[in-house]
Amino acid sequence: MTNKIIRLESLSLMDHDENLNDGSIFNTTRMIEVGHPYDEPHFKTVWDGSYIKSVECHSDRDVVSIESIRSLCDSDGCCYFVRLKDGNELHLPIHAFIAEIKKVADDGE
């Protein structure tokens, strides 16, 4: 059995509400989870035959894996290394996220 990082959640509330007058400026956290789209959801307007509505859309940049690695990208020498399905890679500061870790069998199940 080994430990694998399955989700990161931001410590700082990086995302904020666009409406600065509603009293809830910092109302969401950033989530990065294996198997889910990395990009933040966005909305597009579609016509369904009778009226226009907003539909939530995601890109296909799914998160493949998250690892903690030694790196020069952060002041303490460590960072989270996130692989995306489209081949891109992210290096995220280790002090900015809380990791959720799951025990898994060595074969990845």
Side-chain angles (χ1 to χ4, degrees):
M1 298 292 274
T2 59
N3 291 332
K4 291 201 176 179
I5 300 170
I6 58 170
R7 185 168 92 162
L8 300 176
E9 182 174 353
S10 64
L11 291 171
S12 58
L13 302 180
M14 295 184 286
D15 300 334
H16 63 85
D17 194 323
E18 296 287 330
N19 184 350
L20 299 179
N21 298 317
D22 68 357
S24 61
I25 295 173
F26 295 101
N27 65 348
T28 57
T29 59
R30 188 174 196 83
M31 305 290 290
I32 299 172
E33 190 167 2
V34 172
H36 288 75
Y38 163 72
D39 289 307
E40 300 297 325
H42 65 278
F43 293 87
K44 69 178 180 180
T45 304
V46 297
W47 175 257
D48 73 350
S50 57
Y51 63 96
I52 294 174
K53 63 181 178 179
S54 292
V55 177
E56 185 175 319
C57 302
H58 294 277
S59 78
D60 63 352
R61 295 177 64 190
D62 293 335
V63 175
V64 175
S65 66
I66 304 170
E67 300 170 45
S68 174
I69 63 169
R70 304 281 308 161
S71 171
L72 298 177
C73 68
D74 198 56
S75 60
D76 63 3
C78 294
C79 74
Y80 290 117
F81 177 64
V82 180
R83 292 180 201 268
L84 303 175
K85 185 172 75 174
D86 65 2
N88 286 324
E89 299 170 346
L90 305 172
H91 290 87
L92 303 173
I94 205 158
H95 56 77
F97 292 89
I98 296 173
E100 181 180 332
I101 296 173
K102 178 180 176 182
K103 284 195 176 290
V104 294
D106 290 335
D107 60 3
E109 294 181 15

